Amino acid sequence: MSPGPMQILDRSADALAGRIAPQLRTPHLAGTANLIALLMKFSAREMERGAEIRHAENIGMRALFAELAHIVRDGDLRRRLGAAAAEDDASVVLSELDRTNADLKRLLIELHIQVEEAGDRKAERRILKFLSWMASQRAVSIF
């Protein structure tokens, strides 16, 4: 079985950090090689789970919009939250998921502002819990 892109990146990063970087003549070059190796490791992990994470975040944001839209006073924002809640990801291509994810996050920011200005602590805690979950999904371990 041939290695896939994730394995290629991972093995190349190991070679760069383990065999090539130690042989470079200056600390700057060795440090740069190690940084590139680390970025390759992160890229390999992103390749493995990137679409899954974004898709799950998009589903979660849409569910949050459906849950909280009714408390929003601004009619235009309430309408946009409802429309976003009713959508699905049209594609699982990472660049498309990224675009949709960014659009939904901008809407989430608007919702969060509205909730804070209204002083709705229960809704604010709900949003913060969701943001914490999102951060945990994207956490990267180097070990």
Side-chain angles (χ1 to χ4, degrees), residues 115-135:
V115 164
E116 281 186 347
E117 288 176 351
D120 187 332
R121 297 298 170 234
K122 183 178 176 186
E124 187 174 0
R125 282 191 302 277
R126 176 67 180 93
I127 291 170
L128 292 174
K129 182 179 177 182
F130 178 75
L131 290 171
S132 177
W133 173 80
M134 281 189 5

